[in-house]
Amino acid sequence: MAPWTILEKRDASLPIWTSEAGWTADVILSTRARLARNLSGFPFPGRADAATLGRVAQVVIVANKRRSKGETALKAVAIDRLTAPQRAALIDRHLISVQHATAGPSRWALVDDRHTASVMVNEEDHLRIQAILPGLQLSGAWKIADELDDRLAEDLDYAKHSRYGFLTSSLANCGTGMRLSVMAHLPGLTLSGKLDDALSAARTLGVTVRGSYGENVAMAGDVYQLSNAVSLGLTERQILARLSAVTTFIVADEQAARELLWRNERSVITSKVTEALAKLGESSRLSASDAMSILSMLRLGDEMGMETGASRAVFRELLVSMRIGTEFVSGINAQNTFYEENRRPALIRNVIRAQRHGAR
């Protein structure tokens, strides 16, 4: 199978989730709904051999092709047949996880052309059905994922228990199997020293906090993923309502922290932004972590009216085009990573310059 052509293009159109939506757009970058499902009669991926994983993939791919009349089947991509940059592109678009990109053979992704919906096949569960939208759109993302799940279920026999609901490899995902998450940019809380308290409060309300690329991946650039900690014992609407409430509080806290800093400690922001601009201007090579730190401060400065050129649109575009995923699939010392680190400073400067000159 030929690799999906969009992965070959550095100037490929941006995924839908990078557009702007809603009153929380200054804080919330995107929303994702994910449903974990497993096929009855097959062991979980972590306990299955290569032949079994291959049969699971075949069953799911056939079911995808048989979707309801009038629906276009998602494109099937064999992850192990992609190059490292191609797998990195899928990570950067949040269509697959870092774990899925590096897991080995018989791992597939089913992806739509708009990069809104995707299905990871043989990740931690047989299927991870997900939808991702811009801004805070919990109900909208859930609806897309739920409809895709219903269509696939017409041809798939899911493993389900009368008491525990959908059976998953992790007990926390049993029940509805739903994980709702939002991606939040929180530099105000970080600079004001209030981030730990805000995230601790979120955790006590059943919300898990991770880095933007998921579990076991370091946090960078003040971007955090907030999601429900468990799904067992809760309905989809209860999960949605809880995360919505916590997200609303986090957004309000972040907006208030920015306003207080700008009013009472403006020099803190201006100093950080000046340092970030200087580092960007003098750098010939930038790691993913350093690039994210610079962009975080430039975006904050732009939000506060400093006209850094790192607008909301520029920030979201660079999250995809900087190829941060390369470090996860190639390693920090690999040739691909070295190439991206050398390419990154000029890319960021050029995108920001275009914004300042009104080309975007």
Side-chain angles (χ1 to χ4, degrees):
M1 175 183 294
W4 186 27
T5 55
I6 197 167
L7 301 179
E8 304 284 0
K9 303 177 182 178
R10 290 195 178 275
D11 60 346
S13 59
L14 295 170
I16 295 298
W17 65 262
T18 61
S19 57
E20 187 170 323
W23 65 275
T24 64
D26 58 331
V27 178
I28 304 301
L29 303 175
S30 63
T31 299
R32 186 190 68 183
R34 191 198 70 198
L35 302 173
R37 301 289 186 260
N38 287 281
L39 303 186
S40 180
F42 292 91
F44 294 133
R47 302 182 66 85
D49 57 26
T52 301
L53 292 174
R55 289 196 296 273
V56 169
Q58 184 178 22
V59 169
V60 174
I61 291 170
V62 169
N64 174 56
K65 292 179 179 179
R66 291 177 178 169
R67 292 173 67 196
S68 302
K69 187 176 181 180
E71 294 287 338
T72 302
L74 304 179
K75 297 181 185 298
V77 181
I79 303 300
D80 62 336
R81 299 180 192 176
L82 298 178
T83 64
Q86 289 168 344
R87 283 180 281 138
L90 286 175
I91 293 173
D92 290 332
R93 286 165 169 79
H94 293 282
L95 296 171
I96 65 171
S97 64
V98 174
Q99 176 184 342
H100 200 47
T102 57
S106 299
R107 267 69 181 184
W108 290 73
L110 309 177
V111 186
D112 76 347
D113 289 331
R114 300 177 63 188
H115 296 181
T116 297
S118 66
V119 181
M120 290 183 284
V121 182
N122 288 329
E123 198 229 31
E124 185 177 322
D125 295 291
H126 294 145
L127 294 90
R128 288 286 178 92
I129 303 165
Q130 62 180 34
I132 183 167
L133 292 175
L136 183 58
Q137 299 191 69
L138 294 171
S139 294
W142 171 34
K143 180 180 179 182
I144 293 172
D146 190 48
E147 290 177 350
L148 177 55
D149 176 42
D150 288 344
R151 288 194 291 268
L152 290 171
E154 294 175 5
D155 290 286
L156 298 176
D157 181 19
Y158 290 149
K160 194 173 183 180
H161 189 275
S162 58
R163 180 178 179 184
Y164 300 112
F166 290 105
L167 301 180
T168 58
S169 61
S170 171
L171 183 60
N173 292 326
C174 287
T176 63
M178 184 169 80
R179 178 68 62 88
L180 282 177
S181 62
V182 296
M183 205 76 72
H185 184 222
L186 307 175
L189 287 170
T190 300
L191 290 178
S192 65
K194 299 176 181 178
L195 180 65
D196 288 344
D197 288 343
L199 297 185
S200 178
R203 292 186 180 100
T204 63
L205 294 173
V207 170
T208 295
V209 181
R210 297 185 174 95
S212 57
Y213 289 91
E215 198 169 7
N216 301 321
V217 178
M219 302 174 186
D222 306 310
V223 177
Y224 298 87
Q225 184 183 150
L226 310 175
S227 62
N228 57 294
V230 298
S231 63
L232 183 63
L234 298 170
T235 67
E236 291 91 346
R237 295 194 181 280
Q238 287 173 327
I239 293 171
L240 191 153
R242 179 178 295 183
L243 184 60
S244 178
V246 172
T247 301
T248 299
F249 281 119
I250 290 290
V251 169
D253 284 351
E254 171 64 22
Q255 292 171 336
R258 294 180 188 183
E259 291 176 7
L260 285 173
L261 281 169
W262 191 246
R263 184 186 311 141
N264 302 327
E265 300 180 67
R266 187 170 303 189
S267 62
V268 172
I269 295 179
T270 57
S271 175
K272 292 289 186 180
V273 171
T274 300
E275 291 175 8
L277 284 170
K279 186 170 184 178
L280 176 61
E282 67 189 18
S283 295
S284 59
R285 180 180 178 185
L286 282 174
S287 68
S289 178
D290 286 343
M292 285 294 296
S293 295
I294 289 172
L295 280 177
S296 177
M297 287 301 102
L298 296 186
R299 183 181 188 240
L300 175 61
D302 204 76
E303 288 288 344
M304 306 315 294
M306 295 181 66
E307 298 184 358
T308 64
S311 65
R312 296 174 186 178
V314 164
F315 186 80
R316 291 189 298 265
E317 175 184 343
L318 287 170
L319 287 180
V320 174
S321 60
M322 285 195 305
R323 292 291 175 92
I324 293 172
T326 301
E327 291 192 9
F328 301 129
V329 298
S330 301
I332 60 175
N333 297 317
Q335 183 177 355
N336 288 331
T337 300
F338 182 79
Y339 172 79
E340 294 299 341
E341 288 183 346
N342 281 277
R343 182 185 72 94
R344 210 167 272 143
L347 168 70
I348 297 172
R349 289 192 291 262
N350 289 339
V351 173
I352 287 178
R353 187 180 299 116
Q355 167 68 22
R356 283 176 163 173
H357 293 166
R360 292 175 183 271

